[in-house]
Amino acid sequence: MPHVLGSLHASPPPFGPSRGRPASARTATAGSGHVGDVWNRPRRIVLIRHGESEGNVDESAYQRKPDHRIELTDIGKQQARDAGAALKALLGPDESVYVYVSPYMRTMQTLYEMGATFGTNRILGVREEPRMREQDFGNFQDHTMRDLKKERARFGRFFFRFPNGESAADVYDRVTSFRETLRNDINFGRYNCDVLGCRTDDCTVVIVTHGLTLRIFLMRWYKWTTEMFDVVHNPGNAELVVMERGSG
């Protein structure tokens, strides 16, 4: 069953402590009255975390590869194909999508594998979006990362900044910047608009990103507090989080 967040201003955190669930769809209401008028909003926004990566199964991979070059596992590729099938099932026969994707290898591979089952003929456009990349943990990660994560738990997950890296608060700032770009794209009719007008009933925005960044996007959109963020965990790999357009 889809997970429904509820109204815009009272949306509880959607993701409990369980992790690693197979690709599925959760549903929220994207009924913000602050992002474009109803007539030119896309029908929905679908957020997708990348499939299982090398780093998800072996954290030492980050000591050998830069984070942005971490790839999907074979399981992750299948999860991404399943996500493409789930997205296809979600959309109507004439609906199209516009995609924003993190430039990291694992998110680009997720989008590629999704295309194998979803099809590329329904994609209006794809934009690489660095602001929706993973939290920066500081270049190559070494054996001290485990201790740093314990320190983060004591300090606070939202405000702790990794040495030479970012805090979740830093990610919040760049996601806020991206949200303004998204607002402009909506207001200026990027999604399925032409001289005849905007036909957003047949357009969905898809954002392929990372677990923490996805949660920060929801935090920014639904105005969660930092305390609410602290009790939210990542969705499963290649899981769809569906934000349906509201009436407000």
Side-chain angles (χ1 to χ4, degrees), residues 83-143:
L87 179 63
K88 185 175 182 178
L90 176 70
L91 304 181
D94 298 322
E95 289 185 49
S96 54
V97 301
Y98 190 95
V99 182
Y100 298 89
V101 58
S102 158
Y104 279 34
M105 180 71 73
R106 55 189 180 274
T107 42
M108 298 293 264
Q109 288 178 329
T110 297
L111 178 58
Y112 177 84
E113 296 295 337
M114 286 176 60
T117 49
F118 176 74
T120 58
N121 60 317
R122 301 171 70 179
I123 298 177
L124 295 173
V126 175
R127 181 189 297 181
E128 183 180 286
E129 183 44 75
R131 289 170 293 181
M132 293 301 287
R133 69 188 184 276
E134 177 64 286
Q135 179 181 7
D136 186 349
F137 294 99
N139 300 325
F140 289 104
Q141 300 175 29
D142 58 24
H143 63 280

Side-chain angles (χ1 to χ4, degrees), residues 29-76:
T29 301
S32 170
H34 308 292
V35 185
D37 295 324
V38 173
W39 63 268
N40 64 346
R41 292 183 207 159
R43 183 166 186 172
R44 63 179 68 83
I45 297 173
V46 178
L47 299 158
I48 303 173
R49 183 188 176 196
H50 61 79
E52 181 188 82
S53 71
E54 297 168 318
N56 291 143
V57 298
D58 178 12
E59 290 190 358
S60 69
Y62 296 109
Q63 300 178 31
R64 303 185 297 272
K65 277 187 175 183
D67 195 358
H68 64 278
R69 293 181 182 173
I70 295 291
E71 299 186 52
L72 295 184
T73 64
D74 288 340
I75 290 175

